[in-house]
Amino acid sequence: MKLKVENITKTYGKVVALKDVNLEVGEGEYVVIVGPSGCGKSTLLKVIMGIIEQDEGGKILVDGKDVSNLPPEDRNLGFVFQNILLFPHLTAFENIAYSPIVKDFNLQLRDKLIEELFLFGKVDPWRDKYPEQISSRGIQQKVALMRALATGSKLLLLDEPLCSLDSRVRISLRQEVKKIVKQLQITAIHVTHDQEEAMSIADKIVIMRKGSIVEIGSPEELYYYPKNIFTAYFLGKGNFVPGKIVRRKYKQSAVKCGELVFESASRFELGSDVVVFFRPESVVFERKGYNDYVGKVIEKRFLGRQIEFIIKVGATTFTSRSLRIDAPSLNVGDTVDFHVDEERILVFKFPEEGLESAFKLE
Ligand code: ADP
Ligand code: MG
């Protein structure tokens, strides 16, 4: 099932919850919408579901058909919410079967669908248990997911479905949810404020901020080559160093940041105020001849599989991250040679509103 969101705006008095949002989701795609709390993610999902009416002028198209004026029950969508919503007086089986029953499916088709769901979801052991008898919240949420899928809908909307679960359960369930959705060839829109969750399961990530879509792309594109500085900031740790373009040759330029100079590809004119950006893992502990620096380790953080070093060079500090096995044996106070991978350095225009405002989450 395909979805097209066209020019959706939603205001509550003076609060603009959504500002001219446009989005296309292709058949079978797993799209994750990520953004800080309050940026309009739930409002967007609710407008798609039909439980909130958008301001005039916007449209929701499902498989090319305008459903903007249809009530939620006629849009044929499945939903899963952050709060696990199961009928307490029905068993897991009855909860899952509820929707096909109320929808009066062909009985044979209904049984086939339910059996398929039990199989994919691996919830069979809990078939005859009531929600309160299921101690794992992860399993409860999975039953809620199965119930949403049992509507037979080919478009699933998930609003922070893993948010109330323990981190271990969250991490395994997110992969499982994606797998089930893919097996059933369903199109999904999954909303989260967790960047890592978004990157680990999305075919396509949509970054939202203050009621608008900032950027859309694959996890790798947005993580390493974001076009917008907010995306760079929001999707994970990064080094952001303000500077000025001091040299240009073809597509290559040098950015002076205090006493440091970065060589990289960029399109800015000589003299422009810019920000150099790179991820902590783009710091490499060896000399290469360009983007070489000598710094001092001022902090070391053990992160399990990775080690993070905070390195000071002149007035600038960098964060580096390496796999523990690749990390040099450095301690606080040590001097270190390193370079920054030129291919992984991006140069952004210095934001007019200042760096702090450009990164503000609300
Ligand atoms: P998210 O899901 O990204 O956290 P929401 O979509 O819930 O954000 O909210 C977006 C904005 O709209 C917030 O500023 C929120 O306070 C506001 N908002 C949401 N629902 C209402 C409402 N019913 N009345 C007034 N303001 C609302
Ligand atoms: Mg929300």
Side-chain angles (χ1 to χ4, degrees), residues 38 40-43 82 159-160 191:
K41 305 181 295 296
S42 295
T43 306
Q82 172 183 343
D159 193 355
E160 311 232 11
V191 159

